Amino acid sequence: MEALRVISSTTHPLKHLFRLASFSKFTPSTLCFHCPPSSITVASAVRSRRSSTSASPPSTSDRDAVRSIRLKKVEELRATGFEPYAYKWDRTHSANQLQELYKHLANGEESNDDKDCVSIAGRIVARRAFGKLAFLTLRDDSGTIQLYCEKDRLASQFEQLKALVDIGDILGASGSIKRTEKGELSVCLNSFSILTKSLLPLPDKYHGLTDVDKRYRQRYVDMIANPEVAETFRKRAKVVSEVRKTVESLGFIEVETPVLQGAAGGAEARPFITHHNSLGRDLYLRIATELHLKRMLVGGFEKVYEIGRIFRNEGISTRHNPEFTTIEMYEAYSDYESMMNMAEEIVTRCAIAVQGKLIIDYQGVEICLERPWRRETMHNLVKEATGIDFAEFGSDLNKAKDVTLSSLNMGSNNQEANSIRACQSIGHVLNEVFEMVVEPKLIQPTFVLDYPIEISPLAKPHRRHAGLTERFELFICGRELGNAFSELTDPLDQRGRLEDQVRQHNEKRAAAASVSKVSSAEAKKSDDDSYDVTLDDDFLTALEYGMPPASGMGLGIDRLVMLLTDSASIRDVIAFPVLKIQQ
Amino acid sequence: MDGTIEEATKAVAGLSVGNSTAQPEAGAALSKNALKKELKNKQKEEERRRKEEEKAKKAAAVPSSYAQKSLAADDDDMDPTQYLENRNKALSALKTAGINPYPHKFHVSMSVIEYVEKYSGLNSGEHLENVEISLAGRIMNKRSSSSKLLFYDLHGEGAKVQLMTDARISDLSESEFAKFHGGVKRGDIVGVVGFPGKSKRGELSMFPKSFVVLSHCLHMMPRQKPAASSDIESVKKIDAWIPGSGRNPETYVLKDQETRYRQRYLDLMLNSEVRHIFKTRAAVISYVRRFLDNLDFLEVETPMMNMIAGGAAARPFVTHHNELNMRLFMRIAPELYLKQLVVGGLNRVYEIGKQFRNEGIDLTHNPEFTTCEFYMAFADYNDLMEMTEKMLSGMVKELTGGYKVRYHANGLENEAIEIDFTPPFRRIDMIEDLEKMAGLNIPKDLASDEANKYLAEACTKFETKCAPPLTTARLLDKLVGHFLEETCVNPAFIINQPEIMSPLAKWHRSKPGLTERFELFINKHELCNAYTELNDPVVQRQRFADQLKDRQSGDDEAMALDETFCTALEYGLPPTGGWGMGIDRLAMLLTDSQNIKEVLLFPAMKPQDEPPVKTP
């Protein structure tokens, strides 16, 4: 590997540029972007990066200097009749195709067949130039390949290459194929063309990695520096495509429902508000697609789905971005049992598509996605984890709270105890305990069944257990991945429950507003609830026209992608996450 | 258990006080209740329905017994508020009796479509009594020939089957049967279990043994055509509709546009063509996706909320993130983000998604609309024209079976025109052909005052009015609209737009002042816009600066500078072809829709809060 031999003398990129600019043709320019010299695996790439000495990232003034030098090169190219921003390049192969196609070439062997004249294009990520020889590493979206540049073959172009080609430039190149003595498959260049002249230096790999903020703000730099980042987005596309294929193979039809709505329903969350000028009215950004998709069932579609963006005006975290993607699907004449099978089907098919296996690793934990997944009621899970049997409390809310507080050994004044005390119903207490104690432990895929009716305003009452609903949430790695129910179809019951929801919200808001005068911490909390919850009357009217018995499910696509790409943060799977305003 | 039933019965009896005909039957039903638990519940339900029915009829002052007269007809005479009230009372009576009027689950053994496909080959009069099928769907028509024989039309997923509901086949006794079916209303969603067969007249039917209401239609459904036979015809005719053929919403059962768009579910229920519009829309998107996937494009998602609304020139929606205390714009185009991904090494990307523009609502504009944009490294606008031809002609061929589409471009009262998608599409060089068509000789330097003056004079001469500000771009656009776009009925590319009109397109490799850009026009409307992408960051900054000048002169459609995007270009965007298409407009062309609202499930509508102004 030639790269490793010369990599040791990595110096400040800027110096090289000055050297190049002054045409110091005879010193071996070992400007090297820290990158594997060929399409070797990510693991070894990491090793080779670590073995090299790293340069410090260019400061702003360095950047400006590089920029002005490269702008001069742009001028120089134009002055000599070359367009540094080309129009087009016809490729015959991708880097990876060549690596596959010429696997058989032995070290030192050259393929001289006429048909072996290939043409490729990509970004230069490493460059080593000697007197009559230069090596470039070119990367396209399939992988990398070495460009073997001899003065004898390139003639006058060789000097142009040495003087004007920088790391970061996008090159089109054609030539024949050979494997070097060191075993590196290379394109022996007959000619090349600068397709795009880059003006800014690529960040140093080692430091680029640590600058998390920059990674998200300039995702393209992240992707150039870390090919595995681009791979995550390829996998994301594969997941979405597999989800779509799965539901379409079962006869579901894709529809699009509005993002801008007169009332934000289908979930409990603070919505974004915007204003439509010509209508002269405020509109909400949707917080769920549920209520419109159910209208489709009323209209006679029996299987519909939508993959789309949802917006919630909430804080950002490793699990939350203000806009995120879900699939919601609804199927007439089915119930939540069938949605459990559907969830298993979708997630396992995606796992196979992306990872090729069902036992996967997430952040060091082995997750087994083999079907069937555990199905257990919320009551039993809470009982199992805490010993508290919520079925025993009947409707005695105070007893439920007392037992909970004492058996969980909560201090009298901590936040958790306060949130238990604030609960408005037994269902809320149960859910609170579930979220505190059980949720984080649900590492292996688990369907949590039969949620209390108080916290499930859109789910149908359980056919056997009063006070519960036919609802499940799917948990993997302690995270909620999906939420589904046998849909509530009774318009009167639905109206009552939505009105309750509005009332509860307003009570909470009023309560929070009154305490907020006391402390600033509470003031923040009151702000959390200070939005309006609106009742979607049109939806209720639609139900009055009759919706068939149905089940529906929502799955968080971003979280599914996190799981299947072993990503710790939602920001790693959203190309351009929302970030705080830069100072 | 008996106690509660007893109570419930009383409650129900209370509802029907003074109804003499119902009483004896109720007694009979009660004696049977003692036999079987299952039967009891069923009968309770029937009984209550029946009584409600009687009461409803009474309220509507129709003095008759249902066995002799069509129930549906009676209902139609009723006041809608009264109808809703009656139905609500019937349901609450059921609930009081402990019966869930909204069952959790009904097992369906096949869809109505599958049923029609499987059994339409039966001979007239043939019955397969040994086969058991369960179907579910919505009752869209009810006819009774006697209290023992009723015909229902069961609709599901666009298909229809007749339910020949005969008391002799039913599990219910004759009196139960009459009572139960008295309560089944047009619009109800029902599940039936029975066997397949064909009537003597040859109509495919299903003969239910058991019959259960799964969900209730509490409102009076707008009436379909009165005669049952014409109803059958209309369904048959409608099923023949395929994308690309003409459509006439004037002939719909539900014609009122406001109702159709505000209550799309009614539109879907009553106007069977409408579901095909949305299936066509789904097929269009699915075709585009498949086309690009096959070329190794990657589907990606870019933000819908941005700090700067870039990539196009339009007024954006503004919103606010509370916790971050940050003003955000809804995107007006995904272009700048998608190009950043190409910079990052994803060489072929596309996004199908919503864009938002804070503009007026009219026949071709909705505040949110769907586009597809794709970006392809190492390709130019010539490649993209070929791809466009291939994609659109291929799609039309697959969806319609041919290359020609019928479209009522001149209103429903005039003959539909034919739009021919046979490739290749005509290419019109914008400036060259404009000069030819209009006999102009436009100054070569389009950025000059001279050119501006020349074009302003041309506009005056041809009486093409241009609203101020009279920028060169806007004047030119007017003339092009008048002379060129008007000629583009069949798909045609207008190519090589000037730089001043195209801030993100690359300068033409051989024609100074122009860009390598095309717009595809069909039926005189722009469908696609594409170009060889401008990837020289210096020139890009200059173009943004020029746009700023237009902005300052009052053109609020000029584009804003996006510094993040310019920085990305400095890292090097490969030569790239970029392409955008309006999905809604394409769906309109293939479904003969003249209003964008026809192809949007829930179009934006004016608020209904204020009562409509009624003209006397």
Side-chain angles (χ1 to χ4, degrees), chain B residues 107-300:
Chain B
H107 174 74
V108 176
S109 65
M110 60 172 69
S111 73
V112 178
I113 295 179
E114 286 164 345
Y115 183 86
V116 171
E117 277 166 9
K118 186 158 181 189
Y119 295 109
S120 56
L122 292 181
N123 298 319
S124 297
E126 186 178 355
H127 294 180
L128 304 179
E129 292 183 29
N130 295 326
V131 178
E132 188 176 275
I133 305 281
S134 59
L135 297 177
R138 195 182 285 272
I139 298 295
M140 293 304 287
N141 211 341
K142 178 178 175 183
R143 310 175 292 282
S144 51
S145 79
S146 74
S147 64
K148 291 172 203 149
L149 182 62
L150 298 100
F151 300 91
Y152 294 98
D153 289 342
L154 183 78
H155 286 231
E157 290 278 4
K160 189 206 77 165
V161 65
Q162 171 173 272
L163 302 179
M164 201 182 237
T165 314
D166 189 331
R168 286 168 303 180
I169 296 168
S170 167
D171 292 341
L172 301 175
S173 73
E174 265 183 37
S175 63
E176 289 165 347
F177 181 88
K179 268 174 277 157
F180 175 81
H181 286 282
V184 178
K185 298 288 183 186
R186 202 165 72 86
D188 283 354
I189 291 171
V190 303
V192 287
V193 182
F195 59 85
K198 254 191 185 169
S199 70
K200 288 190 187 101
R201 277 173 49 219
E203 179 161 11
L204 177 63
S205 304
M206 201 265 206
F207 299 82
K209 292 177 185 160
S210 77
F211 198 113
V212 49
V213 177
L214 302 173
S215 193
H216 309 262
C217 181
L218 305 184
H219 294 279
M220 210 185 279
M221 184 87 77
R223 192 78 190 127
Q224 281 184 280
K225 280 164 200 140
S229 57
S230 74
D231 172 39
I232 294 163
E233 273 168 26
S234 81
V235 169
K236 275 184 188 151
K237 193 175 68 204
I238 284 157
D239 278 348
W241 191 86
I242 49 158
S245 52
R247 208 161 57 80
N248 187 358
E250 297 289 312
T251 62
Y252 283 1
V253 175
L254 177 66
K255 289 190 197 65
D256 179 55
Q257 280 202 345
E258 284 283 305
T259 313
R260 286 188 54 214
Y261 300 149
R262 282 187 201 278
Q263 292 178 284
R264 182 65 85 185
Y265 47 89
L266 285 180
D267 191 27
L268 285 163
M269 274 181 229
L270 293 159
N271 306 326
S272 355
E273 255 173 31
V274 173
R275 69 179 293 115
H276 291 286
I277 297 177
F278 293 101
K279 285 186 104 162
T280 304
R281 187 188 167 102
V284 164
I285 294 176
S286 165
Y287 187 94
V288 172
R289 195 171 267 135
R290 221 177 328 131
F291 184 88
L292 295 173
D293 287 346
N294 286 340
L295 292 169
D296 285 329
F297 277 82
L298 210 59
E299 186 172 14
V300 296

Side-chain angles (χ1 to χ4, degrees), chain B residues 49-68:
Chain B
R49 292 259 179 72
R50 161 73 200 280
K51 283 174 184 171
E52 282 312 298
E53 191 52 52
E54 296 289 345
K55 199 167 172 248
K57 276 195 284 175
K58 224 177 145 190
V62 179
S64 71
S65 102
Y66 60 83
Q68 283 151 2

Side-chain angles (χ1 to χ4, degrees), chain A residues 457 492-506 533-535 537 540:
Chain A
L492 287 180
D493 191 0
Q494 184 66 84
R495 181 177 290 278
R497 292 221 235 150
L498 289 181
E499 281 170 357
D500 266 354
Q501 197 187 11
V502 173
R503 193 178 40 74
Q504 278 176 20
H505 177 82
N506 289 342
V533 170
T534 40
L535 197 68
D537 250 309
L540 292 169

Side-chain angles (χ1 to χ4, degrees), chain A residues 456-476:
Chain A
S456 313
L458 297 163
K460 205 163 210 167
H462 200 285
R463 66 193 84 178
R464 285 184 302 275
H465 305 291
L468 301 182
T469 56
E470 297 202 346
R471 170 183 176 189
F472 72 80
E473 288 194 347
L474 168 62
F475 285 84
I476 304 179

Side-chain angles (χ1 to χ4, degrees), chain A residues 67 78 85-88 123 196 199 256 259-260 270 273-274 277 302 325 461 490 544-547, chain B residues 95 104 138 157 215 218-219 281 301 315 318-319 358 368 370 383 506-507 536 570-573:
Chain A
R67 194 170 176 277
R78 285 203 173 121
Y85 298 97
Y87 284 81
K88 178 175 166 60
R123 196 181 287 273
T196 300
L199 299 183
E256 292 171 89
V259 169
L260 302 169
R270 174 200 282 271
I273 301 171
T274 186
N277 296 36
E302 291 176 3
T325 305
D490 181 343
E544 289 175 354
Y545 278 95
M547 179 173 119
Chain B
K95 284 181 196 169
H104 284 75
R138 195 182 285 272
E157 290 278 4
S215 193
L218 305 184
H219 294 279
R281 187 188 167 102
E301 294 170 81
R315 178 191 280 202
V318 188
T319 187
N358 202 342
E368 56 182 291
T370 304
D383 300 323
K506 195 163 188 163
W507 65 91
D536 180 336
E570 294 182 339
Y571 281 95
L573 171 71

